[in-house]
Amino acid sequence: MSTPRYVHIILTMAGLLGLLLSVDGCTEDNLFEMGGISTLDIPANFPDMPVPDDNPMLPERIELGRALFFDPILSVDSSVSCASCHKPEWAFTDHASFSAGVEGRLGFRNAPTLANVAWAPVMLMDGGSPTLEQQVYVPLEDPHEMDFNMVLLTERLSANTYYTQRFQAVFGTAPDPFGITRALAAYQRSIISGNSRFDRYARKEPGATLTESEERGRELFFSPELSCSSCHNGFHFTSWEFINNGLYTDYGLDSGRARITAQPNDVGKFRVPTLRNIAVTFPYMHDGSLPDLEAVIDHYDNGGQGHPNQDARIKPLGLTSEQKTDLLHFLYTLTDNQFLRNTSLVE
Amino acid sequence: MKNSINILAVIGFTSLMMVSCTKKEGCMDPNATNFDATAEKDCCCEYATTFDLKLNLESYVGPTALAEGGTYNVYGTEVQFDLVQMYISNVRFVDAAGNEVASDSYQLVKPENSEYSVGSFEAGNYTKLRFDVGIDSATNHADPSLYPLNDPLGPQFPAMHWSWDAGYIFIRIDAKADQDGDGTTETAFEMHIGRDVNLRTVELDLPLDGAAGNSYTANININWLQFFNGVDLGGALTTHTGDNPALTAILVENITDLFSIAE
């Protein structure tokens, strides 16, 4: 259904480009360069971005999606937007264990980062949604998040002069579910992070170095003994597997992957999360139950609680306090400050 | 150049004369699909090879017709039905040899509507009608945004699709039960059934000598009382399929018993 390709964006609408740049300010962080042909800023060490045939990365779609992402008009009482729980300055996460939806209702999972979500093979921690386009319905219609409905949202946007004009300009139609989902997905695919200190070091860019402690942490992280990188690997520091990391012996109401597959051996399995920008995306785990990275490292050092589905790679590590500090320092190098203050991603 | 234009004009004039000298050809049989009342010479008639089918689906709870918002006796417990919706798809006729002819249609069945056009079928002699309650797997996991809002498979309000476990809700009942027997329906519950494994095929005896060009209506009753057969009405009545597997299994087992040919 989707064909991977290098995402070159040909800007045919020079007038629109001028508008974008005048709104955003022309900084190095802008998605679009000046000139006739522009390229989405995909880091050199990333694979090609998979893009569905029916949703090319057109600047005007990304812009419309950005407007929708930051607009509380998507929630039933116009109180919360996507950005209420996916805050750009925290790598599109929230610092609450469970974010508040409409009327302060709490969900049951920690808001995940949206950095590099374009490359996710399936959506959600349990893999329940196949595409970014279809995932739009999840927060929109969840009673604990926006508690709204696609039919009603379409009616509301169709009664809104600003959006009727924008959809007409971008899709040539009134607001409809196709345009709403395509625009939001296109914007989210533009949320790209790959310029951490570690990235620059890995790309051997001039002046990019690690301290001695960070370097020791890096070696520990990638060592077969600790096997952190057997799950947190690749350009996005995740294998995208669903695994049980031994957080609990009883997962209670959130069975993770088993919620979708109904298979007992999937209980407690969640998708391996990225470690990009991990220092700013606290709290941790699917339920936000670990407050800081020290607690996360301690969890893996202890080797898990021993759930029947616990992955074999989770085992006691016997780390010294210096090793834990070194690992922590390495994880700090995965923060992409340029991404966190990327004004072009913010409405 | 001038000569060739003259020649063309002559040919055109001649052919006009020839047409005007003949009777108008067309199909003169009123039973044909291309009947032309102005034709003077019979020619080229085309006849239908298919018949059309409508389903007339009447919803009941036991002997009483179901209207949304109404309260009904369900095996001794009063239940107020606020929303009752169901997908029916892949309607097909079966002949004596077991061969199926299908029409490609998806119906979102609601108590307030009874008549559903399910398309055209090859003319023939059939013994049974079959259809699925639910949506075939390929369609079930496709993107509802690709359908228009007025399409049964498009986004609905109230929603008939799960985004968090991508697929349609085959059957959705939102209701309230009077579990303590005090005369008020105090216990709100939801029965939302979906997922590929829970698609059920209904088969009804419906002998039909389906003649081309005709339209037929199959009168079918849906008795929602049967859906609750074997359910502990004093217990937990809510299921979203995955979160209450025991109740889901009972309800799914009852799906084929909901339907009968109207007397």
Side-chain angles (χ1 to χ4, degrees):
Chain A
M1 192 176 70
S2 61
T3 41
R5 75 187 63 155
Y6 207 76
V7 183
H8 285 280
I9 297 173
I10 300 168
L11 286 174
T12 53
M13 303 175 77
L16 181 64
L17 175 66
L19 183 68
L20 298 186
L21 294 178
S22 67
V23 169
D24 296 334
C26 188
T27 69
E28 63 175 70
D29 292 334
N30 260 310
L31 282 174
F32 312 114
E33 298 161 12
M34 295 292 287
I37 296 177
S38 188
T39 304
L40 208 56
D41 189 15
I42 297 174
N45 51 329
F46 279 30
D48 292 350
M49 180 189 284
V51 175
D53 290 341
D54 69 6
N55 200 13
M57 290 289 281
L58 303 171
E60 61 269 27
R61 286 198 187 190
I62 296 170
E63 287 296 303
L64 177 53
R66 192 179 70 177
L68 289 167
F69 190 89
F70 287 88
D71 196 336
I73 198 170
L74 267 68
S75 57
V76 65
D77 58 0
S78 297
S79 63
V80 299
S81 71
C82 306
S84 301
C85 306
H86 297 283
K87 298 180 170 71
E89 64 271 30
W90 298 334
F92 292 83
T93 67
D94 197 1
H95 283 170
S97 294
F98 304 128
S99 299
V102 297
E103 296 180 349
R105 295 176 209 156
L106 299 182
F108 69 112
R109 286 184 186 156
N110 184 240
T113 179
L114 300 183
N116 306 326
V117 71
W119 284 269
V122 289
M123 301 301 135
L124 308 180
M125 293 179 188
D126 55 24
S129 180
T131 66
L132 260 181
E133 282 77 6
Q134 291 196 59
Q135 191 275 340
V136 167
Y137 289 78
V138 177
L140 179 69
E141 298 192 342
D142 188 322
H144 302 96
E145 298 187 50
M146 292 166 162
D147 195 23
F148 208 27
N149 173 277
M150 184 59 84
V151 177
L152 303 184
L153 175 62
T154 301
E155 288 172 5
R156 184 185 285 178
L157 295 181
S158 298
N160 178 300
T161 309
Y162 171 76
Y163 280 112
T164 50
Q165 289 174 352
R166 291 291 295 271
F167 274 83
Q168 194 63 43
V170 175
F171 292 101
T173 62
D176 64 7
F178 182 87
I180 293 166
T181 54
R182 268 59 194 170
L184 277 163
Y187 165 68
Q188 290 175 80
R189 287 194 179 93
S190 79
I191 302 173
I192 298 167
S193 172
N195 285 313
S196 66
R197 277 184 52 223
F198 176 76
D199 285 302
R200 295 199 290 276
Y201 165 88
R203 293 194 294 258
K204 297 185 169 56
E205 290 178 15
T209 57
L210 298 183
T211 67
E212 287 182 14
S213 176
E214 289 163 352
E215 180 60 32
R216 286 194 301 272
R218 187 189 69 82
E219 286 170 7
L220 282 168
F221 182 86
F222 288 103
S223 69
E225 291 74 27
L226 267 60
S227 69
C228 307
S229 61
S230 69
C231 297
H232 296 289
N233 55 36
F235 76 101
H236 195 44
F237 289 88
T238 173
S239 60
W240 306 108
E241 292 169 281
F242 299 99
I243 76 153
N244 180 315
N245 73 351
L247 187 62
Y248 298 119
T249 52
D250 178 358
Y251 279 81
L253 290 175
D254 190 357
S255 60
R257 179 71 177 149
R259 188 169 179 245
I260 305 304
T261 65
Q263 298 300 312
N265 60 5
D266 281 335
V267 170
K269 290 185 180 177
F270 294 88
R271 192 171 65 193
V272 175
T274 183
L275 299 185
R276 290 189 169 278
N277 305 296
I278 196 70
V280 301
T281 63
F282 59 88
Y284 303 104
M285 303 293 138
H286 68 277
D287 56 358
S289 58
L290 299 183
D292 50 40
L293 284 173
E294 287 84 346
V296 175
I297 291 173
D298 283 342
H299 165 73
Y300 288 114
D301 187 39
N302 291 334
Q305 301 290 323
H307 189 276
N309 294 337
Q310 183 175 314
D311 195 275
R313 288 167 287 190
I314 311 292
K315 55 185 191 300
L317 300 174
L319 296 172
T320 67
S321 64
E322 193 207 11
Q323 286 176 314
K324 290 181 183 179
T325 304
D326 290 341
L327 275 171
L328 197 58
H329 288 169
F330 167 70
L331 293 173
Y332 290 161
T333 71
L334 303 180
T335 301
D336 178 354
N337 287 310
Q338 195 182 339
F339 168 67
L340 299 180
R341 57 167 201 270
N342 185 344
T343 53
S344 75
L345 291 172
V346 181
E347 185 70 10
Chain B
M1 184 58 79
K2 199 175 180 182
N3 276 351
S4 62
I5 291 173
N6 286 343
I7 291 168
L8 276 177
V10 170
I11 292 172
F13 184 68
T14 311
S15 55
L16 194 67
M17 295 256 297
M18 286 168 69
V19 169
S20 63
C21 289
T22 35
K23 287 182 176 176
K24 186 184 178 194
E25 286 190 349
C27 178
M28 298 174 71
D29 181 354
N31 293 321
T33 55
N34 60 338
F35 171 63
D36 182 354
T38 65
E40 296 165 307
K41 184 181 178 190
D42 197 22
C43 166
C44 323
C45 287
E46 292 169 7
Y47 296 91
T49 60
T50 61
F51 63 84
D52 291 336
L53 181 71
K54 285 179 182 156
L55 299 183
N56 180 39
L57 302 169
E58 301 286 353
S59 298
Y60 293 87
V61 179
T64 315
L66 170 62
E68 281 178 348
T71 300
Y72 303 86
N73 188 297
V74 177
Y75 299 116
T77 298
E78 293 296 313
V79 175
Q80 178 182 326
F81 289 88
D82 295 321
L83 186 76
V84 181
Q85 297 191 159
M86 166 172 58
Y87 277 108
I88 284 180
S89 65
N90 194 16
V91 179
R92 62 263 199 206
F93 275 102
V94 190
D95 69 17
N99 301 312
E100 288 186 347
V101 291
S103 87
D104 179 30
S105 82
Y106 298 87
Q107 310 296 331
L108 178 54
V109 177
K110 308 174 182 188
E112 69 260 33
N113 301 334
S114 56
E115 203 166 82
Y116 299 86
S117 292
V118 293
S120 299
F121 296 83
E122 204 61 35
N125 208 334
Y126 300 108
T127 58
K128 292 183 168 79
L129 185 73
R130 279 186 195 143
F131 55 84
D132 295 338
V133 174
I135 307 285
D136 60 281
S137 182
T139 308
N140 195 23
H141 305 296
D143 184 352
S145 303
L146 298 176
Y147 300 93
L149 278 173
N150 57 4
D151 191 288
L153 295 175
Q156 306 288 328
F157 176 74
M160 286 298 286
H161 186 271
W162 286 313
S163 49
W164 54 271
D165 180 14
Y168 288 87
I169 302 171
F170 297 169
I171 296 176
R172 174 171 178 167
I173 292 181
D174 295 0
K176 301 182 195 76
D178 179 13
Q179 287 192 318
D180 57 12
D182 69 349
T184 54
T185 51
E186 77 292 334
T187 307
F189 66 92
E190 296 178 340
M191 292 171 164
H192 297 182
I193 304 296
R195 290 188 172 166
D196 294 347
V197 295
N198 295 320
L199 179 140
R200 286 295 176 273
T201 297
V202 176
E203 181 179 287
L204 299 170
D205 287 327
L206 189 69
L208 178 73
D209 189 4
N214 281 3
S215 291
Y216 300 95
T217 298
N219 294 306
I220 296 170
N221 290 342
I222 306 171
N223 185 358
W224 286 100
L225 186 63
Q226 293 292 332
F227 199 51
F228 293 82
N229 190 12
V231 172
D232 173 13
L233 285 145
L237 294 173
T238 287
T239 177
H240 304 91
T241 301
D243 57 0
N244 192 342
L247 177 57
T248 300
I250 294 171
L251 299 175
V252 169
E253 206 56 40
N254 289 336
I255 289 174
T256 52
D257 297 333
L258 298 178
F259 301 89
S260 61
I261 298 292
E263 297 301 319

